[in-house]
Amino acid sequence: MNDGDVVQLSEYESVPGHTCADVSLFAPDLDVMAYLLQDLRTLLRSADAGKIDVWAHRPFTWEVHGLHRRTVVCEPIQIRDPQRACIVGFFGSRRTELPYARMDGIDVRLLDEFRGYPGILSYSSMELADDYWANLVVHVEPDDRDVWRTNSAHQHAVEMSPQLYTGVRIYNGHLVGGVAGSRAIEIDSTKYWDYEIEPTWKAIRVFDPPLTRVRRQEPHLD
C-alpha cells in the first residue's frame, strides 16, 4: 500500500524490480552490521587492555582483501556505558564508475561534522565486494538522527546519493546494553530508496518484534 509517495511494505514483502528491498538481504546485512559492531567492541577491549590508544574522533583505518575499513569512536567514555543505544545501518549499491576517493571525501566530511553532535558514539564504514558499501552509526537517543539530518554534510550526502548509488537501504534499530554489552543488534525498521526509478521509489517496513540475526529471516507457513 502507499502512504503518500512512500510504499509501506510488510515484514517479508519483496517488490519485483526493486532489488534494494529484497528480503534475501536481511541475513547478509545483519551479518555485516554484526561484523562492524564486533570490530568496534574489539577496538574498545584492546584499548582497555592498554594495547592501543583510543581518543575522540581518531580514525582507525585498514584494508581486508583490498577493501577499505574505518572505525571512529566519537565518545570514548560514554560509549562504554551499559545503556540501551540506537543504531543506524547504511547499505548502498555504489555506481561502478564512481572512484573510491569521491566517496571517501564525503565520508570524511560527515566525520568532521560529527564532532559537533555529542549524541553520536561511533561511526564505522566498510567497503564490500560487488560495489556495495556499508556504514554503522551508534548513537544515544532516537532524536539524535533528526538533529544530525539538519547538518550540511548530511544534507550534501543525501543530495549526492542518486549520483553515488543505484539504491540505498537504511536500518534503524537498537542495542540492548549498548556497545559495552554482548547483545546483538535489533532492527526496528528499514527504509529504501531506488534511484534507478524516476521519480525515486521510496519504501519502509517496520518489524514487530524487532528483526535480529537469531530470528527467522524468511517468511514461513504455519
Side-chain angles (χ1 to χ4, degrees):
M1 60 181 280
N2 276 326
D3 180 10
D5 62 349
V6 179
V7 179
Q8 305 291 315
L9 300 177
S10 62
E11 288 187 337
Y12 297 110
E13 179 184 0
S14 291
V15 182
H18 300 291
T19 57
C20 64
D22 198 286
V23 297
S24 66
L25 296 171
F26 291 169
D29 287 354
L30 285 166
D31 284 345
V32 169
M33 285 186 278
Y35 181 96
L36 289 166
L37 177 60
Q38 187 58 35
D39 270 354
L40 176 60
R41 284 172 165 164
T42 299
L43 181 68
L44 293 174
R45 284 198 296 269
S46 296
D48 292 341
K51 297 180 180 179
I52 58 174
D53 293 324
V54 173
W55 59 82
H57 302 285
R58 175 189 178 184
F60 288 85
T61 60
W62 68 101
E63 290 187 5
V64 177
H65 304 304
L67 299 173
H68 298 78
R69 305 282 193 269
R70 180 192 286 117
T71 297
V72 179
V73 177
C74 302
E75 299 288 341
I77 296 176
Q78 190 177 7
I79 200 171
R80 290 175 165 84
D81 292 343
Q83 61 183 352
R84 183 183 187 275
C86 299
I87 69 96
V88 176
F90 170 94
F91 291 81
S93 178
R94 187 175 63 189
R95 296 190 182 278
T96 55
E97 68 276 12
L98 184 74
Y100 170 81
R102 178 84 175 278
M103 295 189 63
D104 193 51
I106 293 175
D107 216 32
V108 170
R109 184 177 173 186
L110 280 171
L111 288 171
D112 287 340
E113 288 280 345
F114 279 169
R115 294 175 182 271
Y117 295 87
I120 309 299
L121 300 177
S122 67
Y123 180 84
S124 304
S125 56
M126 175 190 297
E127 185 184 18
L128 304 174
D130 302 323
D131 299 307
Y132 277 87
W133 193 264
N135 296 325
L136 183 73
V137 177
V138 182
H139 60 102
V140 180
E141 300 289 347
D143 290 346
D144 295 333
R145 296 192 292 265
D146 295 327
V147 176
W148 91 56
R149 287 191 188 105
T150 64
N151 78 63
S152 59
H154 181 270
Q155 291 176 347
H156 176 66
V158 170
E159 292 170 359
M160 291 296 297
S161 284
Q163 300 177 42
L164 303 177
Y165 303 100
T166 59
V168 164
R169 55 191 177 277
I170 294 180
Y171 293 86
N172 292 129
H174 62 276
L175 190 57
V176 177
V179 176
S182 59
R183 295 282 293 272
I185 291 170
E186 300 184 36
I187 301 300
D188 301 305
S189 65
T190 311
K191 298 176 182 177
Y192 305 95
W193 289 261
D194 186 343
Y195 297 121
E196 296 292 84
I197 305 299
E198 183 62 40
T200 299
W201 183 81
K202 305 173 186 176
I204 185 172
R205 76 172 90 237
V206 176
F207 298 99
D208 185 17
L211 180 70
T212 69
R213 294 176 80 204
V214 297
R215 177 182 166 189
R216 183 188 295 270
Q217 294 171 2
E218 295 291 342
H220 59 285
L221 297 177
D222 294 325

